[in-house]
């Protein structure tokens, strides 16, 4: 692509080119500064507490259910060059990319328009560092005595930032020109004042400008709290001591991770997975493969796959964020998540312009819950396989969890007569994968967002014109195994107190086949599904005093909807969706039959599934020992009689 003279390509900056930053006066730590261990521990935790207060402020100021109810955001504190020292417990890949944006700002904005105290930049450009255009990042430098001391940032999934479709998910298009406009780092706040011209440009594109404007102010407020607290810390302990703690925290994270890696076996672990339906007209599947190499004290991710397609792609930033997300809870669960140090022990290699390392102008509108999420799944499996090869660390593995996000963007007229635009966040209640020693956690949330929560049913009904028939945990949604994957939930609802039809744009993957995979013989979870019951009798059932406990109890014309689609929901149409549970661990026929019976009684496993997959036969709710022995022998015999993979029985 031809470049404008004097302008460089919009690409992620992974390593700062110091020759380009002569105009930046960094605060540098003196070589002879000494830091005692007690002060290190006190201030390391103080920085984490500041990070937590930053996130709490954002939640309290925001009016968006995406933030206030589901915690689809994250916050970071970095050093003077943007290397991350601390991040929140929310969506991890939101926080795994901000260092790229900061380095870009330092290289490209220091001269014009400049980086000054009281400034903040906004960016949602996936090729620079945002995961996708909805994930708006607000970044602020922190100065001390005229020197650039550190950075803070906040990332929020904005409900709608423009483009062809509701929620900015352009499911019928193939490139970025149909999507919301990517905004490279632009000065949103100058000398402590919000630049209304820049805000107007950003809000003018949105179908929900008031909500987006409130979230921008929440991000600014969170950043301001973090800046104030860092200044207070400097006043109490001195700038050099605070900076020494930042540097030592990253060094400690690197050293600890490298020490752990040395205790794990060397080798290469691979996984291949697929996304289906790159846009609404596509019926293909799109392959990505990851090879995780553990060599001494270093991890290397090698990524290859099919060419970029439709709007399911992610850029280098999203790929890197997705790959590192499972590393944190499985390999660094007891370490500071100081990515500036952790990234030193991890290398990333990827073929160009594939689905998970797309080049401009590939479509990335769905990246966070498509290409990036897909990369999380692949990394999850590779890291779990690595840990499964270690007697000492196998207990830390987690099988595939919440293998895809069921996106539900909606727009209409609410019960107050006002327009609403939202994304329903109920799929935060996905199931976590099993472990080598225990079942997965039911409806635990999103593995890549350990601090996330599901939206409250009553909050949704208060905010939007909807009435839930139910939201419930689903039988047979946890992957079978010696240890069962956590079950997931589904939602079923009817429009309420509005006569206006609702417009919907939906997008997911994992409908053709589940993507929450098992480990060491464990089976995958369920797959996702969208379903409408047109002209239903739900209102009549409610009028008669009956509350349906399952969508199958509601009469009407059933419509199974494609995983990339848009449609209109009328007043009597039921909307049903189910998302994924967790994968299992170990062979299902090695599961204790009494535990299977307990799962049946609890509603987590059906009696049919107990017999078919676990080989457990029940009689009046109790295990039939003889029949179970026979059934499990039958399963083993069927396996031994099967043809090898790739060979026909003919």
């Amino acid at each position: 692509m031809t470049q404008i003279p004097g302008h460089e390509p919009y690409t992620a900056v992974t390593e700062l080119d110091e020759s380009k930053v002569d105009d930046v006066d960094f605060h540098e730590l003196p070589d002879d500064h000494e830091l005692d261990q007690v002060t290190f521990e006190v201030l390391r935790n103080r920085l984490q507490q500041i990070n937590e207060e930053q996130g709490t402020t954002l939640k309290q100021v925001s009016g968006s259910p995406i933030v206030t109810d589901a915690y689809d955001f994250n916050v970071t504190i970095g050093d003077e060059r943007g290397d991350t020292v601390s991040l929140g417990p929310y969506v991890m890949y939101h926080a795994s990319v901000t260092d790229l944006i900061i380095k870009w700002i330092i290289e490209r904005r220091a001269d014009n328009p400049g980086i000054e105290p009281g400034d903040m930049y906004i960016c949602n450009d996936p090729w620079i560092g945002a995961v996708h255009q909805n994930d708006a990042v607000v970044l602020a430098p922190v100065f001390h005595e005229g020197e650039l001391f550190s950075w803070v940032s906040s990332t929020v999934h904005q409900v709608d930032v423009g483009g062809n479709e509701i929620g900015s998910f352009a499911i019928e298009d193939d490139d970025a020109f149909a999507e919301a406009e990517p905004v490279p780092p632009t000065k949103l706040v100058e000398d402590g004042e919000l630049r209304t011209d820049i805000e107007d440009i950003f809000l003018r594109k949105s179908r929900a400008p008031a909500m987006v404007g409130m979230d921008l102010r929440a991000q600014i407020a969170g950043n301001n709290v973090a800046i104030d607290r860092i200044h207070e810390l400097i006043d109490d302990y001195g700038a050099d001591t605070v900076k020494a703690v930042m540097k030592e925290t990253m060094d400690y994270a690197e050293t600890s991770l490298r020490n752990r890696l040395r205790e794990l076996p060397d080798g290469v672990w691979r996984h291949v997975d697929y996304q289906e339906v790159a846009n609404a007209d596509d019926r293909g599947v799109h392959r990505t493969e990851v090879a995780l190499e553990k060599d001494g004290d270093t991890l290397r991710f090698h990524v290859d796959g099919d060419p970029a397609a439709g709007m399911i792609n992610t850029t280098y930033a999203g790929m890197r964020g997705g790959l590192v997300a499972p590393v944190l809870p499985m390999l660094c669960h007891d370490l500071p998540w100081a990515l500036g140090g952790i990234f030193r022990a991890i290398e990333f290699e990827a073929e160009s312009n594939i689905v998970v390392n797309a080049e401009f102008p590939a479509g990335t509108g769905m990246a966070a819950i498509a290409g990036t999420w897909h990369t999380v799944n692949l990394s999850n499996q590779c890291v779990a396989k690595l840990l499964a090869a270690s007697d000492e660390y196998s207990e830390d593995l987690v099988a595939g969890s919440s293998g895809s996000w069921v996106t539900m963007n909606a727009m209409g007229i609410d019960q107050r007569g006002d327009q609403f635009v939202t994304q329903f966040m109920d799929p935060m209640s996905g199931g976590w994968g099993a472990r080598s020693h225990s079942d997965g956690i039911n409806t635990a949330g999103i593995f890549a967002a350990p601090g996330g929560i599901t939206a409250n049913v009553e909050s949704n009904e208060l905010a939007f014109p909807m009435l839930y028939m139910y939201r419930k945990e689903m039988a047979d949604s946890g992957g079978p195994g010696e240890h069962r994957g956590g079950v997931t939930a589904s939602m079923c609802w009817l429009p309420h107190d509005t006569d206006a039809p609702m417009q919907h744009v939906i997008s997911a993957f994992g409908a053709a086949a589940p993507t929450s995979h098992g480990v060491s013989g464990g089976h995958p979870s369920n797959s996702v599904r969208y379903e409408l019951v047109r002209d239903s009798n739900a209102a009549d059932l409610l009028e008669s005093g009956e509350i349906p406990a399952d969508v199958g109890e509601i009469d009407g014309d059933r419509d199974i909807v494609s995983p990339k689609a848009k449609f209109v929901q009328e007043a009597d149409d039921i909307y049903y969706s189910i998302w994924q549970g967790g994968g299992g661990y170990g062979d299902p026929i090695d599961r204790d039959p009494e535990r299977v019976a307990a799962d049946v009684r609890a509603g987590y496993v059906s009696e049919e599934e107990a017999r078919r997959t676990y080989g457990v036969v029940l009689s009046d709710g109790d295990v039939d020992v003889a029949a179970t022995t026979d059934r499990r022998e039958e399963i083993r015999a069927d396996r031994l009689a099967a043809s090898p993979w790739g060979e026909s029985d003919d």
Side-chain angles (χ1 to χ4, degrees):
M1 180 180 293
T2 302
Q3 295 297 314
I4 300 172
H7 286 248
E8 298 180 48
Y10 298 106
T11 56
V13 177
T14 58
E15 296 290 339
L16 196 62
D17 185 348
E18 299 284 347
S19 67
K20 296 181 179 180
V21 293
D22 290 341
D23 294 332
V24 179
D25 189 8
F26 293 115
H27 175 271
E28 304 284 6
L29 181 67
D31 293 336
D32 60 352
H33 184 82
E34 295 184 0
L35 179 67
D36 67 85
Q37 190 65 32
V38 173
T39 302
F40 168 66
E41 288 296 338
V42 170
L43 294 196
R44 179 173 70 84
N45 284 280
R46 280 282 298 275
L47 285 169
Q48 184 63 50
Q49 187 275 329
I50 291 170
N51 200 193
E52 292 171 5
E53 187 178 359
Q54 181 185 4
T56 299
T57 302
L58 199 161
K59 286 184 287 185
Q60 290 177 338
V61 176
S62 172
S64 168
I66 292 174
V67 175
T68 60
D69 285 19
Y71 301 171
D72 188 352
F73 70 92
N74 216 330
V75 288
T76 70
I77 297 174
D79 71 1
E80 74 284 353
R81 288 169 172 81
D83 292 324
T84 302
V85 176
S86 177
L87 57 91
Y90 309 107
V91 180
M92 287 186 283
Y93 47 73
H94 283 346
S96 302
V97 299
T98 54
D99 62 312
L100 302 174
I101 305 174
I102 293 168
K103 288 176 170 57
W104 198 98
I105 293 172
I106 293 171
E107 284 194 6
R108 314 286 173 82
R109 296 293 190 247
D111 179 57
N112 182 3
I115 305 170
E116 303 293 341
D119 289 351
M120 293 192 195
Y121 283 85
I122 185 170
C123 175
N124 72 340
D125 191 320
W127 287 273
I128 292 173
V131 175
H132 67 155
Q133 291 92 317
N134 288 79
D135 292 335
V137 190
V138 177
L139 313 101
V142 183
F143 282 84
H144 172 70
E145 295 182 350
E147 295 180 329
L148 182 54
F149 182 83
S150 67
W151 289 80
V152 299
S153 80
S154 61
T155 304
V156 166
H157 177 96
Q158 303 281 14
V159 65
D160 187 290
V161 291
N164 285 356
E165 302 290 355
I166 299 164
S168 308
F169 284 37
I171 62 169
E172 295 183 338
D173 298 291
D174 287 310
D175 59 47
F177 299 113
E179 298 177 341
E181 178 186 355
V183 178
T186 303
K187 194 174 287 192
L188 176 67
V189 177
E190 189 168 24
D191 194 23
E193 294 292 330
L194 176 66
R195 289 190 54 175
T196 56
D197 57 343
I198 301 302
E199 183 191 29
D200 285 346
I201 290 172
F202 197 75
L203 299 188
R204 190 70 176 87
K205 304 175 293 182
S206 175
R207 297 169 180 84
M211 193 72 73
V212 173
M214 181 71 78
D215 278 344
L216 288 179
R217 284 159 173 77
Q219 292 178 263
I220 292 168
N223 286 352
N224 279 333
V225 166
I227 292 168
D228 289 345
R229 297 295 181 265
I230 291 171
H231 282 146
E232 291 170 5
L233 207 59
I234 291 171
D235 291 341
D236 290 342
Y237 290 90
D240 289 345
T241 297
V242 176
K243 180 58 63 66
V245 171
M246 289 182 170
K247 300 297 186 183
E248 180 64 24
T249 300
M250 291 187 286
D251 290 346
Y252 173 67
E254 177 192 8
T255 299
S256 299
L257 176 55
R258 289 192 186 277
N259 288 341
R260 178 156 295 163
L261 291 174
R262 291 188 190 99
E263 296 174 344
L264 291 165
D266 286 345
V268 179
W269 290 266
R270 295 178 171 85
H271 194 71
V272 177
D273 207 354
Y274 302 85
Q275 296 181 84
E276 79 273 30
V277 186
N279 60 24
D281 295 327
D282 179 41
R283 289 300 176 268
V285 292
H286 305 271
R287 179 178 189 267
T288 303
E289 59 183 83
V290 170
L292 173 62
E293 178 185 4
K294 207 291 290 186
D295 180 14
D297 63 358
T298 302
L299 286 178
R300 296 187 185 92
F301 285 98
H302 306 271
V303 186
D304 201 353
D306 287 344
M311 44 82 76
I312 63 172
N313 313 289
T314 193
T315 63
Y316 174 84
M319 178 197 71
R320 190 184 73 154
L323 290 174
V324 79
V327 172
L328 298 180
M330 282 199 271
L331 285 172
C332 306
H333 55 88
D334 54 351
L335 310 179
W337 287 2
L339 289 170
I342 289 169
F343 277 137
R344 299 172 196 162
I346 306 176
E347 299 174 5
F348 305 93
E349 300 175 0
E351 293 299 314
S352 62
N353 206 31
I354 57 177
V355 166
V356 298
N357 187 30
E359 297 176 357
F360 185 81
T364 60
M366 192 184 163
I369 48 83
T372 299
W373 202 294
H374 175 58
T375 312
V376 172
N377 294 339
L378 288 153
S379 175
N380 193 138
Q381 290 303 110
C382 289
V383 175
K385 291 174 183 179
L386 163 62
L387 291 170
S390 167
D391 291 336
E392 182 178 359
Y393 287 105
S394 62
E395 65 179 18
D396 294 334
L397 71 83
V398 181
S401 304
S402 306
S404 65
W405 177 263
V406 177
T407 306
M408 297 174 280
N409 292 319
M411 182 172 73
I413 303 300
D414 67 18
Q415 58 269 50
R416 292 165 288 275
D418 299 323
Q419 178 179 294
F420 76 91
V421 179
T422 194
Q423 181 178 129
F424 296 117
M425 304 301 290
D426 302 67
M428 276 287 187
S429 55
W432 277 24
R435 305 182 66 180
S436 63
H437 54 84
S438 63
D439 291 347
I441 305 173
N442 300 325
T443 54
I446 306 304
F447 191 57
I453 60 173
T454 194
N456 186 285
V457 166
E458 287 77 14
S459 296
N460 276 351
E461 290 179 333
L462 177 65
F464 308 114
M466 61 189 303
L467 180 66
Y468 281 79
M469 302 293 100
Y470 61 80
R471 187 175 70 198
K472 65 177 183 177
E473 293 181 332
M474 298 297 291
D476 299 334
S477 61
E482 180 181 0
H483 300 292
R484 174 182 50 77
V487 302
T488 192
S490 69
M491 65 185 295
C492 180
W493 60 276
L494 183 73
H496 179 65
D497 202 17
T498 183
D499 295 325
M502 296 186 197
Q503 300 177 56
H504 293 269
V505 173
I506 61 173
S507 50
F509 68 100
T515 50
S516 290
H517 297 286
V519 175
S520 298
H523 290 204
S525 73
N526 63 309
S527 56
V528 307
R529 189 166 90 244
Y530 299 97
E531 183 176 332
L532 291 170
V533 183
R534 300 285 193 183
D535 297 320
S536 77
N537 68 336
D540 294 336
L541 291 174
L542 294 173
E543 182 73 21
S544 67
E546 296 182 53
I547 301 177
D550 189 81
V551 68
E553 299 175 7
I554 302 171
D555 293 335
D557 298 325
R558 278 182 154 64
D559 182 8
I560 307 299
V561 186
S562 165
K564 310 285 190 305
K566 58 182 180 179
F567 56 85
V568 173
Q569 181 184 15
E570 303 288 351
D572 290 325
D573 295 344
I574 284 287
Y575 190 126
Y576 169 84
S577 66
I578 182 172
W579 37 98
Q580 290 191 49
Y585 176 89
D587 193 331
I589 63 174
D590 288 336
R591 186 167 177 82
D592 182 346
E594 293 297 338
R595 297 185 68 188
V596 177
D599 281 346
V600 173
R601 290 191 291 270
Y604 297 140
V605 175
S606 67
E607 192 165 338
E608 177 186 1
E609 179 72 355
R611 183 187 184 282
R612 179 178 60 242
T613 304
Y614 290 96
V616 174
V617 181
L618 302 179
S619 177
D620 296 327
D622 295 323
V623 177
D624 184 327
V625 176
T628 294
T629 300
D630 291 344
R631 172 60 185 150
R632 288 186 163 181
E633 287 302 320
E634 179 184 3
I635 292 172
R636 291 187 179 95
D638 288 344
R639 291 174 179 175
L640 292 171
S643 298
W645 177 259
E647 293 185 13
S648 171
D649 290 328
D650 295 335

